[in-house]
């Protein structure tokens, strides 16, 4: 870490500008992120949120802040109920399966687990207590059928996060036939029980929480009535995060000090989403490109910008990683020499200090890789310690932590066969049977194996 870190800036969605990050409590940082609704496999849009806020938590920790990162799981919701009914399986079986799958995807993307991962079904009492407070304060009311609604017009600041006025929101708003709310803008805090749906006892009758109340309750239970950063995808800014503010501040909590939102993954200029059917799952892409390449692809664009998905873009990310791991290949571990890499690290950190400018940070990594390659060609002993610096800086972004040979070879089911062929080829070369050695090389190349010869021996990787 540089002796003097620059001031950390972030773009606060509420203030609509880049501001200096000042923790509410010196030396600490608290981060709450809206997590997955677990009724299906994670797609690349979910991966972007995972990687974005994993990176933010890494940055906060690099800045020396004792960081508490909380990301919830929504395990009761209309979509979950409908999917379980379609598949004729218990809701808990459905959600447990997709929670396991989500954790597998998270690990493949190089994301560290959050410090706390509360589930909605484990926090029903806290949600009910929050709803009761809102009723007492005149911000919520109980409908005839046992539903409880938030009265949007009771909260003067409604719309401040998304920049929408009540008049704008009123246009097109309507009340569904089965709803008992007083105003089309009001939203459900508690939903009265319906046949076949999960339900909990409450002062207003059997029912279940609305989606928005979940995060208000879980975030404040985990981090307190005021915390530093609330994050999530841009699509959550309205109405979900807007409603969270109304609920939490309506109940008397200061709530989040800063708001961060990551941009959408786009497919042919449309947002990637399950509702549009234009999504691709993380687990479908990992066998083709590898989880680290997906992470690199996400970090190659600023987190607030839209990111266009394509096979070519993912292949380019994979090739970029190949270049960096090729630089690290064959460099022995070396003790980090801060003075040697001070300028590289300062420029890398300056990029991160500018609202987590990961494309700028990656550019520094490639400049450093070019310098390492130049020094290695000259036979300089400085190549190895700078290689250690490259790995160190990459680690701040969750990259370049694999052994280079493992990266190139992966979990190849043909590894034993390939190694045997390489040994056979080496024997043929020693015996000066170059025709046989060339034939082995041709066989391997036909199988998609690239052989790289050097003074220290031969290595291989998949093309």
């Amino acid at each position: 870490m540089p002796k003097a870190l620059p001031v950390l800036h972030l773009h606060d969605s509420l203030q609509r500008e880049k501001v200096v990050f000042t923790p509410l409590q010196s030396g600490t940082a608290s981060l709450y992120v809206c997590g997955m609704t677990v009724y299906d496999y994670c797609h690349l849009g979910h991966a972007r949120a995972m990687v974005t806020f994993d990176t933010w938590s890494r940055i906060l920790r690099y800045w020396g802040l004792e960081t508490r990162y909380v990301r919830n799981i929504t395990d009761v919701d209309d979509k979950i109920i409908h999917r379980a009914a379609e598949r004729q399986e218990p809701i808990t079986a459905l959600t447990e399966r997709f929670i396991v799958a989500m954790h597998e995807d998270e690990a493949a993307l190089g994301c560290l687990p959050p410090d706390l991962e509360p589930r909605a079904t484990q926090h029903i009492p806290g949600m009910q207590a929050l709803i009761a407070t809102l009723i007492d304060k005149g911000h919520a009311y109980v409908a005839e059928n046992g539903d409880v609604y938030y009265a949007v017009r009771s909260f003067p600041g409604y719309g401040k996060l998304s920049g929408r006025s009540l008049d704008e929101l009123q246009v097109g708003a309507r009340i569904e036939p089965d709803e008992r709310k007083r105003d089309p803008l009001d939203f459900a805090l508690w939903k009265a029980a319906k046949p076949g749906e999960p339900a909990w006892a409450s002062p207003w009758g059997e029912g279940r929480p609305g989606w928005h109340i979940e995060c208000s309750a879980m975030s404040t239970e985990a981090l307190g009535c005021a915390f530093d950063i609330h994050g999530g995808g841009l699509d959550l800014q309205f109405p979900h995060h807007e409603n969270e503010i109304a609920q939490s501040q309506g109940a008397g909590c200061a709530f989040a000090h800063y708001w961060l939102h990551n941009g959408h993954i786009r497919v042919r200029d449309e947002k990637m989403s399950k509702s549009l059917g234009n999504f691709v799952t993380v687990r479908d892409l990992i066998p083709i490109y590898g989880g680290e390449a997906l992470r690199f692809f996400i970090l190659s664009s600023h987190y607030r910008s839209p990111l266009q998905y394509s096979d070519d873009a993912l292949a380019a990310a994979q090739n970029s990683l190949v270049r960096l791991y090729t630089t690290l290949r064959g460099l022995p571990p070396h003790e980090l020499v801060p003075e040697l890499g001070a300028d590289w690290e300062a420029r890398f950190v300056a990029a991160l200090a500018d609202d987590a400018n990961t494309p700028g940070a990656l550019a520094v990594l490639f400049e450093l890789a070019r310098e390492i390659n130049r020094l290695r060609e000259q036979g300089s002993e400085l190549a190895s310690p700078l290689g250690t610096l490259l790995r160190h800086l990459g680690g701040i972004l969750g990259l370049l932590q694999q052994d280079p040979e493992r990266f190139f070879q992966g979990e190849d089911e043909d590894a034993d066969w390939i190694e045997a062929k390489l040994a056979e080829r080496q024997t043929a070369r020693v015996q000066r049977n170059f025709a046989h050695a060339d034939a082995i090389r041709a066989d391997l190349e036909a199988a998609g194996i690239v052989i790289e010869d050097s003074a220290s021996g031969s290595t291989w990787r998949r093309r």
Side-chain angles (χ1 to χ4, degrees):
M1 178 185 304
K3 293 181 180 178
L5 286 166
V7 174
L8 181 60
H9 290 78
L10 54 76
H11 187 278
D12 179 23
S13 300
L14 185 60
Q15 299 181 66
R16 294 174 178 74
E17 64 179 349
K18 199 181 298 182
V19 298
V20 173
F21 173 60
T22 304
L24 294 172
Q25 182 178 339
S26 178
T28 69
S30 46
L31 170 63
Y32 181 88
V33 175
C34 292
M36 310 305 142
T37 300
V38 284
Y39 71 100
D40 206 342
Y41 293 114
C42 297
H43 60 61
L44 197 56
H46 299 133
R48 190 177 200 192
M50 283 181 178
V51 170
T52 292
F53 293 105
D54 173 71
T55 303
W56 265 111
S57 72
R58 290 170 181 266
I59 291 171
L60 293 170
R61 291 187 170 103
Y62 180 80
W63 251 255
L65 299 169
E66 184 180 339
T67 300
R68 186 167 172 80
Y69 172 27
V70 181
R71 189 188 66 209
N72 80 295
I73 294 175
T74 295
D75 59 348
V76 59
D77 173 81
D78 291 341
K79 293 174 182 177
I80 293 171
I81 293 168
H82 295 157
R83 181 61 56 85
E86 288 173 359
R87 298 191 175 185
Q88 297 184 329
E89 68 175 314
I91 286 174
T92 53
L94 177 85
T95 56
E96 283 298 328
R97 185 169 72 255
F98 287 121
I99 288 171
V100 170
M102 177 189 70
H103 288 156
E104 292 171 348
D105 293 343
E106 178 182 51
L109 291 165
C111 294
L112 303 172
D115 299 298
L116 189 64
E117 198 171 46
R119 301 187 185 189
T121 55
Q122 298 170 348
H123 291 266
I124 302 297
M127 297 174 200
Q128 291 181 351
L130 180 55
I131 293 169
T133 298
L134 290 171
I135 293 172
D136 290 344
K137 289 181 175 290
H139 290 296
Y141 57 91
V142 184
E144 294 176 1
N145 65 343
D147 287 346
V148 183
Y149 291 99
Y150 189 96
V152 167
R153 294 184 188 277
S154 72
F155 184 70
Y158 194 85
K160 60 185 177 182
L161 179 64
S162 58
R164 307 185 187 196
S165 68
L166 290 177
D167 290 339
E168 290 176 296
L169 295 171
Q170 185 69 42
V171 177
R174 61 193 182 94
I175 298 176
E176 298 294 336
D178 61 340
E179 293 180 320
R180 300 293 185 270
K181 54 188 177 181
R182 300 170 183 168
D183 188 302
L185 296 179
D186 296 347
F187 58 88
L189 301 173
W190 187 259
K191 298 182 178 183
K194 294 180 181 178
E197 292 188 353
W200 288 262
S202 84
W204 320 288
E206 292 273 319
R208 60 185 173 89
W211 177 40
H212 309 298
I213 198 68
E214 294 179 4
C215 286
S216 282
M218 287 187 283
S219 61
T220 51
E221 284 184 45
L223 298 174
C225 210
F227 56 91
D228 291 313
I229 302 171
H230 194 315
L234 185 61
D235 55 321
L236 298 180
Q237 189 177 52
F238 184 87
H240 186 53
H241 289 166
E242 197 75 74
N243 290 350
E244 281 189 63
I245 290 174
Q247 293 165 160
S248 302
Q249 293 186 353
C253 282
F255 206 44
H257 194 190
Y258 303 98
W259 289 83
L260 299 178
H261 291 94
N262 65 271
H264 296 143
I265 299 279
R266 301 186 67 81
V267 182
R268 291 184 292 276
D269 294 324
E270 281 190 312
K271 173 198 164 189
M272 179 180 286
S273 70
K274 287 195 170 85
S275 61
L276 293 175
N278 63 349
F279 66 93
V280 56
T281 67
V282 173
R283 58 191 44 229
D284 284 341
L285 292 171
I286 285 172
I288 303 171
Y289 302 102
E292 191 170 1
L294 299 187
R295 186 181 185 95
F296 188 99
F297 166 68
I298 291 167
L299 295 175
S300 65
S301 177
H302 191 271
Y303 77 93
R304 289 192 294 111
S305 302
L307 178 55
Q308 193 72 28
Y309 163 79
S310 71
D311 291 336
D312 288 345
L314 287 176
Q318 192 177 47
N319 290 335
S320 294
L321 271 180
V322 166
R323 288 166 54 197
L324 292 174
Y325 271 109
T326 298
T327 296
L328 292 172
R329 206 172 192 181
L331 290 178
H334 195 284
E335 184 179 351
L336 196 62
V337 183
E339 297 79 10
L340 178 63
D343 180 60
W344 299 101
E345 186 161 8
R347 292 195 291 120
F348 178 88
V349 170
L352 296 184
D354 183 17
D355 191 31
N357 178 9
T358 55
L362 290 175
V364 175
L365 295 188
F366 281 102
E367 291 177 28
L368 177 56
R370 286 193 291 272
E371 177 65 8
I372 294 168
N373 292 331
R374 185 186 70 81
L375 291 170
R376 181 152 53 182
E377 288 174 3
Q378 295 176 351
S380 172
E381 295 180 354
L382 295 178
S384 183
L386 284 181
T388 299
L389 176 64
L390 177 60
R391 182 184 291 274
H392 165 68
L393 296 181
I396 299 171
L397 297 177
L399 299 171
L400 305 181
Q401 300 308 289
Q402 297 185 64
D403 176 83
E405 296 308 319
R406 182 177 178 83
F407 169 80
F408 285 115
Q409 297 169 11
E411 299 291 340
D412 202 303
E413 60 184 16
D414 296 326
D416 291 342
W417 173 76
I418 295 167
E419 292 291 349
K421 298 299 287 185
L422 280 181
E424 182 183 346
R425 175 175 177 266
Q426 180 60 21
T427 299
R429 295 175 74 187
V430 169
Q431 295 172 350
R432 304 187 67 80
N433 187 350
F434 298 116
H436 185 47
D438 290 344
I440 293 173
R441 185 185 191 105
D443 288 344
L444 289 170
E445 288 181 346
I449 306 301
V450 177
I451 299 175
E452 296 171 341
D453 295 318
S454 69
S456 59
S458 299
T459 57
W460 63 273
R461 62 179 174 86
R462 284 285 179 184
R463 183 178 298 116

